[in-house]
Amino acid sequence: MKIKNNLILAMDIMELQKAEKVCETIGNQIDTIKIGYPLTLAEGIKTIKIFKENYNYQIICDYKVADIPATNSKIAEQTFKNGADGIITHGFVGEDSVKACQDKADEYNKDLFLLTEMSHPGAKRFLQKDADEIAKMGVEMGIKNYVAPATRINRLKEIREIVGKDSFIISPGVGKQGGEAKKTLEYANAIIVGRSIYESENPKKATEDIIKSTK
Ligand code: NUP
């Protein structure tokens, strides 16, 4: 996936009108947004089409899919059927569950992003132990896109080493969670930023400042 300015906006505002206002102020500085449960549960899956049609954005659905294969397949089907360009899937559930999402992504010719280690402190207790294995599984499965944390650059670097330079890594945790944009982009292809943009007094300036800081 090509991502303008290597910046993905995490659109976790829970009112569509407010979310659209942010998009209008940001204009064409970004071309990719990530929608997760907050906005989808508040406003419905129709939000994917609204952002695509009104702003021509690419949409990555951060549904952290983590169920049995049969259910994962249904979740991915609905996500792609409603226009998503990508879906984020948990890796800890194992190869068969991830494969169910991968098959749907292939069927729709869209992207699967495999979540390895998460960015929050709590991820250290369980997920971190298995994150390298999750990344290795992704490589074995031929997965090209990964999610890895901006909050622990050493771990991001290690995950990059496992998935290789040709894989595409998107990285959350820049800004509010403490990660730095430029440092993260040494190892990731794009950063994911939410609150530092949409909670800012001036989302346009916040976006410009982040982009400038990466140059
Ligand atoms: O490990 C992860 N960390 C993380 O923050 C995986 C994620 N998908 N996210 C998401 O990235 C999180 O749910 C939110 O949508 C976004 C980060 O937002 P913010 O901390 O910049 O507001």
Side-chain angles (χ1 to χ4, degrees):
M1 188 179 274
K2 270 191 90 116
I3 294 173
K4 186 169 185 177
N5 286 317
N6 308 319
L7 174 61
I8 300 164
L9 172 63
M11 187 53 92
D12 294 326
I13 295 174
M14 290 185 285
E15 284 166 69
L16 184 57
Q17 264 192 338
K18 285 189 182 158
E20 287 206 77
K21 227 175 170 169
V22 170
C23 296
E24 272 149 30
T25 58
I26 289 174
N28 62 3
Q29 297 178 94
I30 60 159
D31 69 0
T32 308
I33 66 169
K34 184 180 80 58
I35 293 176
Y37 290 118
L39 184 61
T40 307
L41 293 175
E43 295 281 4
I45 200 152
K46 67 176 190 291
T47 46
I48 300 174
K49 281 207 176 100
I50 291 171
F51 285 115
K52 282 186 82 75
E53 282 165 15
N54 295 354
Y55 305 95
N56 205 20
Y57 286 153
Q58 302 184 98
I59 310 291
I60 298 173
C61 282
D62 187 1
Y63 294 156
K64 297 189 183 68
V65 191
D67 215 310
I68 61 167
T71 308
N72 270 11
S73 182
K74 290 175 184 164
I75 295 167
E77 168 82 29
Q78 285 305 313
T79 305
F80 291 125
K81 206 167 107 185
N82 280 282
D85 299 289
I87 191 168
I88 296 177
T89 302
H90 257 305
F92 72 83
V93 276
E95 184 165 350
D96 49 354
S97 291
V98 174
K99 174 118 186 357
C101 292
Q102 188 184 26
D103 288 347
K104 280 290 162 199
D106 289 347
E107 187 182 319
Y108 281 84
N109 202 16
K110 299 293 183 189
D111 288 320
L112 170 84
F113 292 81
L114 184 66
L115 182 48
T116 57
E117 180 169 325
M118 292 187 74
S119 59
H120 61 307
K124 285 194 215 164
R125 183 163 181 188
F126 302 112
L127 201 48
Q128 189 174 74
K129 295 185 184 74
D130 288 317
D132 288 0
E133 284 303 312
I134 291 169
K136 283 179 198 161
M137 176 185 78
V139 173
E140 284 160 20
M141 294 176 72
I143 290 171
K144 288 274 160 256
N145 305 297
Y146 296 86
V147 185
T151 48
R152 289 186 285 279
I153 291 291
N154 62 322
R155 291 293 301 137
L156 175 61
K157 181 170 182 272
E158 283 162 5
I159 290 165
R160 165 61 77 192
E161 280 160 15
I162 293 168
V163 301
K165 64 174 177 20
D166 294 333
S167 290
F168 195 82
I169 301 182
I170 60 175
S171 188
V174 168
K176 284 278 166 171
Q177 296 182 53
E180 281 178 61
K182 191 166 183 167
K183 193 89 199 128
T184 302
L185 286 171
E186 282 179 30
Y187 303 104
N189 300 84
I191 51 172
I192 298 168
V193 183
R195 288 165 293 172
S196 303
I197 293 176
Y198 68 73
E199 283 182 356
S200 149
E201 295 272 299
N202 186 341
K204 181 175 163 52
K205 186 171 181 303
T207 306
E208 279 166 3
D209 288 348
I210 291 166
I211 294 167
K212 259 188 235 152
S213 80
T214 66
K215 306 283 180 201

